Amino acid sequence: MAILKIARMGHPVLLGRAAEVADPTSPEMRRLVADMAETLADAGGIGLAAPQVYQPLRLFLWRDGAELHVLFNPELVPLGPETELGWEGCLSIPGLRGRVTRAARVAWRGFDQEGRAVSGEASGISARVLQHENDHLNGVFYLMRMEDLSLLGFTEELARLAEPQP
Ligand code: NI
Protein backbone atom coordinates (compact mmCIF):
# COMPACT_ATOMS: atom_id res chain seq x y z
CA MET A 1 0.00 0.00 0.00
CA ALA A 2 1.06 3.56 -0.46
CA ILE A 3 0.03 7.04 0.53
CA LEU A 4 -0.91 8.84 -2.68
CA LYS A 5 -0.38 12.47 -3.57
CA ILE A 6 -3.60 14.46 -3.46
CA ALA A 7 -4.39 16.74 -6.41
CA ARG A 8 -5.26 20.29 -5.45
CA MET A 9 -7.82 22.62 -6.96
CA GLY A 10 -6.58 23.94 -10.29
CA HIS A 11 -5.30 20.59 -11.55
CA PRO A 12 -7.26 19.54 -14.67
CA VAL A 13 -7.84 15.99 -13.35
CA LEU A 14 -10.31 17.52 -10.89
CA LEU A 15 -12.35 19.31 -13.53
CA GLY A 16 -13.48 16.63 -15.97
CA ARG A 17 -16.16 13.97 -15.89
CA ALA A 18 -14.57 10.79 -14.54
CA ALA A 19 -14.98 7.53 -16.46
CA GLU A 20 -17.03 4.50 -15.41
CA VAL A 21 -14.99 1.64 -13.93
CA ALA A 22 -15.41 -1.44 -16.15
CA ASP A 23 -14.28 -3.99 -13.54
CA PRO A 24 -14.23 -3.02 -9.84
CA THR A 25 -12.70 -6.45 -9.02
CA SER A 26 -9.53 -5.99 -11.09
CA PRO A 27 -6.14 -6.09 -9.32
CA GLU A 28 -5.56 -2.46 -10.34
CA MET A 29 -8.79 -1.35 -8.64
CA ARG A 30 -8.03 -3.47 -5.56
CA ARG A 31 -4.68 -1.73 -5.21
CA LEU A 32 -6.15 1.71 -5.88
CA VAL A 33 -8.81 1.23 -3.18
CA ALA A 34 -6.18 0.04 -0.67
CA ASP A 35 -3.99 3.03 -1.46
CA MET A 36 -6.94 5.45 -1.27
CA ALA A 37 -7.93 4.00 2.12
CA GLU A 38 -4.41 4.55 3.42
CA THR A 39 -4.30 8.05 1.93
CA LEU A 40 -7.66 8.96 3.48
CA ALA A 41 -6.58 7.70 6.90
CA ASP A 42 -3.28 9.56 6.68
CA ALA A 43 -5.00 12.81 5.67
CA GLY A 44 -7.61 12.47 8.42
CA GLY A 45 -10.47 13.04 5.98
CA ILE A 46 -13.92 11.47 5.79
CA GLY A 47 -14.14 11.10 2.01
CA LEU A 48 -11.84 10.74 -0.98
CA ALA A 49 -12.70 10.49 -4.67
CA ALA A 50 -10.43 8.83 -7.24
CA PRO A 51 -9.86 12.04 -9.28
CA GLN A 52 -8.32 13.53 -6.12
CA VAL A 53 -5.50 10.98 -6.46
CA TYR A 54 -5.08 11.64 -10.20
CA GLN A 55 -7.31 8.73 -11.30
CA PRO A 56 -10.23 10.07 -13.35
CA LEU A 57 -12.52 7.15 -12.44
CA ARG A 58 -15.98 6.92 -10.92
CA LEU A 59 -14.98 5.69 -7.48
CA PHE A 60 -14.95 7.18 -4.02
CA LEU A 61 -14.45 6.14 -0.40
CA TRP A 62 -16.18 7.58 2.63
CA ARG A 63 -16.12 6.92 6.33
CA ASP A 64 -19.23 6.51 8.44
CA GLY A 65 -17.92 6.31 11.98
CA ALA A 66 -15.44 3.43 12.02
CA GLU A 67 -16.85 1.93 8.81
CA LEU A 68 -15.15 2.59 5.49
CA HIS A 69 -17.39 2.41 2.41
CA VAL A 70 -16.18 1.91 -1.15
CA LEU A 71 -18.49 2.81 -4.02
CA PHE A 72 -17.83 2.31 -7.73
CA ASN A 73 -19.92 3.92 -10.47
CA PRO A 74 -22.21 5.62 -7.94
CA GLU A 75 -25.61 7.15 -8.58
CA LEU A 76 -27.20 9.55 -6.12
CA VAL A 77 -30.79 10.75 -5.95
CA PRO A 78 -32.04 13.35 -3.44
CA LEU A 79 -34.91 12.07 -1.28
CA GLY A 80 -37.42 14.86 -0.93
CA PRO A 81 -37.03 18.62 -1.15
CA GLU A 82 -35.48 19.15 2.30
CA THR A 83 -32.02 20.77 2.35
CA GLU A 84 -29.43 21.45 5.03
CA LEU A 85 -26.74 24.11 5.32
CA GLY A 86 -23.48 22.76 6.73
CA TRP A 87 -19.72 23.18 6.81
CA GLU A 88 -17.52 21.37 4.30
CA GLY A 89 -13.83 21.16 3.66
CA CYS A 90 -11.92 19.34 0.93
CA LEU A 91 -8.52 17.64 0.88
CA SER A 92 -7.98 19.27 -2.54
CA ILE A 93 -8.59 22.75 -1.06
CA PRO A 94 -6.51 22.58 2.11
CA GLY A 95 -7.08 25.07 4.89
CA LEU A 96 -10.51 26.32 3.80
CA ARG A 97 -14.05 25.57 4.91
CA GLY A 98 -17.36 26.80 3.64
CA ARG A 99 -21.06 26.38 4.28
CA VAL A 100 -22.90 24.55 1.54
CA THR A 101 -26.57 23.73 0.98
CA ARG A 102 -27.11 20.03 0.28
CA ALA A 103 -30.04 17.66 0.05
CA ALA A 104 -30.78 16.45 3.59
CA ARG A 105 -31.33 12.85 2.48
CA VAL A 106 -30.13 10.88 -0.52
CA ALA A 107 -30.55 7.42 -1.97
CA TRP A 108 -27.34 5.94 -3.33
CA ARG A 109 -26.40 2.91 -5.35
CA GLY A 110 -23.35 1.53 -7.08
CA PHE A 111 -20.99 -1.42 -6.86
CA ASP A 112 -18.64 -2.63 -4.13
CA GLN A 113 -15.13 -4.07 -4.48
CA GLU A 114 -16.59 -7.51 -5.21
CA GLY A 115 -18.59 -6.07 -8.09
CA ARG A 116 -21.86 -6.57 -6.18
CA ALA A 117 -24.66 -4.06 -6.60
CA VAL A 118 -25.09 -2.12 -3.35
CA SER A 119 -27.53 0.60 -2.35
CA GLY A 120 -28.74 2.53 0.63
CA GLU A 121 -30.07 5.77 2.02
CA ALA A 122 -28.14 8.40 3.92
CA SER A 123 -28.89 11.50 5.95
CA GLY A 124 -26.91 14.00 7.99
CA ILE A 125 -23.16 14.07 7.54
CA SER A 126 -23.14 10.91 5.41
CA ALA A 127 -25.59 12.44 2.91
CA ARG A 128 -23.35 15.51 2.75
CA VAL A 129 -20.16 13.49 2.22
CA LEU A 130 -21.79 11.38 -0.49
CA GLN A 131 -22.89 14.48 -2.40
CA HIS A 132 -19.48 16.13 -1.98
CA GLU A 133 -17.57 13.07 -3.22
CA ASN A 134 -20.00 12.38 -6.05
CA ASP A 135 -19.49 15.97 -7.22
CA HIS A 136 -15.75 15.24 -7.58
CA LEU A 137 -16.63 12.65 -10.25
CA ASN A 138 -18.24 15.42 -12.28
CA GLY A 139 -15.58 18.09 -11.86
CA VAL A 140 -17.50 20.03 -9.21
CA PHE A 141 -15.99 21.54 -6.03
CA TYR A 142 -18.06 22.50 -2.99
CA LEU A 143 -17.11 26.11 -3.67
CA MET A 144 -19.18 25.95 -6.88
CA ARG A 145 -22.22 24.98 -4.78
CA MET A 146 -21.90 27.88 -2.33
CA GLU A 147 -24.60 30.52 -2.49
CA ASP A 148 -22.91 32.93 -0.07
CA LEU A 149 -19.12 33.20 -0.29
CA SER A 150 -19.03 35.19 2.94
CA LEU A 151 -19.49 31.74 4.49
CA LEU A 152 -16.08 30.67 3.14
CA GLY A 153 -12.97 31.02 5.26
CA PHE A 154 -9.72 29.61 6.52
CA THR A 155 -10.31 26.91 9.12
CA GLU A 156 -7.94 28.61 11.57
CA GLU A 157 -9.82 31.90 11.33
CA LEU A 158 -13.27 30.31 11.50
CA ALA A 159 -12.23 28.62 14.75
CA ARG A 160 -12.19 32.08 16.36
CA LEU A 161 -15.90 32.48 15.73
CA ALA A 162 -18.78 30.90 17.53
CA GLU A 163 -20.37 28.65 14.94
CA PRO A 164 -23.34 30.50 13.42
CA GLN A 165 -26.59 28.60 13.57
CA PRO A 166 -28.73 28.14 10.45
NI1 NI B 1 -13.41 17.17 -1.72
Side-chain angles (χ1 to χ4, degrees):
M1 295 211 296
I3 295 171
L4 304 172
K5 186 180 176 191
I6 296 175
R8 292 184 302 173
M9 184 170 62
H11 194 287
V13 73
L14 292 168
L15 291 172
R17 182 185 155 82
E20 303 278 329
V21 176
D23 180 8
T25 69
S26 71
E28 293 77 19
M29 288 304 108
R30 196 157 292 278
R31 189 168 74 187
L32 177 59
V33 167
D35 288 348
M36 286 177 66
E38 192 173 3
T39 303
L40 182 61
D42 178 71
I46 51 174
L48 184 66
Q52 292 183 276
V53 292
Y54 301 87
Q55 300 294 324
L57 298 168
R58 304 192 81 75
L59 157 67
F60 60 72
L61 277 58
W62 86 96
R63 279 199 300 119
D64 181 5
E67 197 177 354
L68 183 68
H69 296 270
V70 178
L71 197 58
F72 287 90
N73 302 332
E75 290 177 50
L76 257 60
V77 182
L79 289 174
E82 192 188 342
T83 60
E84 285 178 2
L85 185 62
W87 290 101
E88 294 184 23
C90 181
L91 295 173
S92 295
I93 315 172
L96 293 176
R97 294 178 76 76
R99 292 191 99 195
V100 190
T101 301
R102 299 284 188 181
R105 293 175 63 234
V106 295
W108 57 268
R109 63 179 182 180
F111 296 88
D112 68 12
Q113 273 188 281
E114 267 56 63
R116 295 177 296 222
V118 289
S119 63
E121 293 182 10
S123 60
I125 186 71
S126 289
R128 179 170 299 278
V129 173
L130 280 161
Q131 290 168 86
H132 178 117
E133 300 310 328
N134 196 59
D135 271 354
H136 277 305
L137 309 185
N138 297 318
V140 175
F141 292 101
Y142 77 86
L143 298 175
M144 300 173 184
R145 299 276 189 205
M146 289 185 68
E147 292 153 3
D148 180 356
L149 285 173
S150 73
L151 299 174
L152 176 70
F154 288 96
T155 306
E156 288 174 13
E157 304 294 345
L158 293 165
R160 299 167 198 264
L161 302 173
E163 177 149 333
Q165 298 300 313

